[in-house]
Amino acid sequence: GKFSMSLGKKQGTLCEMTIPDESDEEGQEALLNAIETAANRMVEEDLPVQSFQMDRQKAIEKFGDCILDQSQKKPKKGADNMITIAWIGNVILAVPPGPVYSSTKSVGRIVLERGNLTSSVTAGKKARKCEVVLKFHCTGDHPELSESDAAASSPPADEINTQSLLAAAIRFPEGATLKQAAEQKEKAAAEEAAAAQKQEAAASEQKK
């Protein structure tokens, strides 16, 4: 499968942490690792998945077009105006590309595909957009979806609280750990630069 997320401009103007740019391969790899780890933790927690149908335009007016993947934002000619929306409490509200299982554990382990033309991170101090594109596959047996596997009906749309989903704040422990590691790395680099500058100044004084 494929999934993309827009995080604003530059290095993530719509999120709490600074998204590493293309020059920081280690940082981008750590970000993808954190996403993969968080996804599989939620798979193991076997979270319930609910779904409901809603008129496309009314859904966009209520929840915003963030419920749509980039590939879904332009409606297809002749497509039904009713869309299926999947909801995992405090995790995600989105239009799925296919059938919806009743719980996260049904999908099996999620593996992000890495390397050229696969999962990617776009960010930079002058970048017009900050985006994460995830390409993935699921391991394990996936029997054909039956009525018993299908997601249960969701509560009415008015009862769904998306406030936490739209906030910039980090919601999951994997993200908090990633941010802390990035801040420690940045602090160490700043201290190293300051020490080098101090040594350079001391050497310059000795030459006088």
Side-chain angles (χ1 to χ4, degrees):
K2 181 180 178 182
F3 181 75
S4 60
M5 297 167 285
S6 176
L7 301 175
K9 300 179 180 179
K10 299 183 179 181
Q11 290 182 270
T13 54
L14 296 180
C15 55
E16 182 179 339
M17 69 172 287
T18 300
I19 303 302
D21 61 26
E22 286 82 352
S23 66
D24 185 2
E25 292 184 7
E26 182 180 342
Q28 291 197 348
E29 188 69 12
L31 174 60
L32 294 176
N33 287 342
I35 293 172
E36 186 177 70
T37 299
N40 283 305
R41 173 179 58 78
M42 286 181 269
V43 166
E44 286 301 313
E45 289 174 354
D46 203 20
L47 303 176
V49 182
Q50 297 176 300
S51 69
F52 60 98
Q53 287 198 319
M54 193 171 181
D55 177 81
R56 177 189 172 91
Q57 189 56 41
K58 288 182 179 179
I60 292 174
E61 289 172 1
K62 181 171 181 60
F63 302 118
D65 66 359
C66 56
I67 62 173
L68 304 172
D69 184 57
Q70 291 294 334
S71 62
Q72 299 169 330
K73 290 191 174 181
K74 187 176 181 180
K76 296 179 180 179
K77 290 184 179 180
D80 191 345
N81 288 332
M82 297 298 290
I83 57 175
T84 298
I85 302 174
W87 164 245
I88 303 176
N90 198 39
V91 177
I92 192 170
L93 178 75
V95 176
V100 182
Y101 284 98
S102 60
S103 70
T104 55
K105 204 164 189 177
S106 302
V107 304
R109 182 170 179 78
I110 297 171
V111 179
L112 292 187
E113 297 173 4
R114 315 293 179 99
N116 294 332
L117 302 177
T118 52
S119 298
S120 63
V121 179
T122 301
K125 292 181 179 179
K126 296 183 179 180
R128 296 183 63 183
K129 69 174 182 177
C130 179
E131 183 180 55
V132 177
V133 176
L134 304 176
K135 291 186 179 180
F136 62 93
H137 65 270
C138 300
T139 63
D141 296 328
H142 301 98
E144 186 175 341
L145 193 69
S146 64
E147 287 188 18
S148 61
D149 294 322
S153 297
S154 178
D158 288 341
E159 295 181 18
I160 294 178
N161 184 359
T162 59
Q163 186 174 355
S164 64
L165 304 185
L166 299 175
I170 292 172
R171 292 180 286 125
F172 303 120
E174 294 83 3
T177 300
L178 182 67
K179 183 187 177 187
Q180 184 179 31
E183 289 175 343
Q184 290 175 344
K185 182 180 177 180
E186 186 177 347
K187 181 180 178 181
E191 290 174 348
E192 186 178 344
Q197 189 176 18
K198 188 175 181 180
Q199 287 182 344
E200 185 178 338
S204 179
E205 283 293 324
Q206 288 179 353
K207 292 180 180 179
K208 292 181 180 180

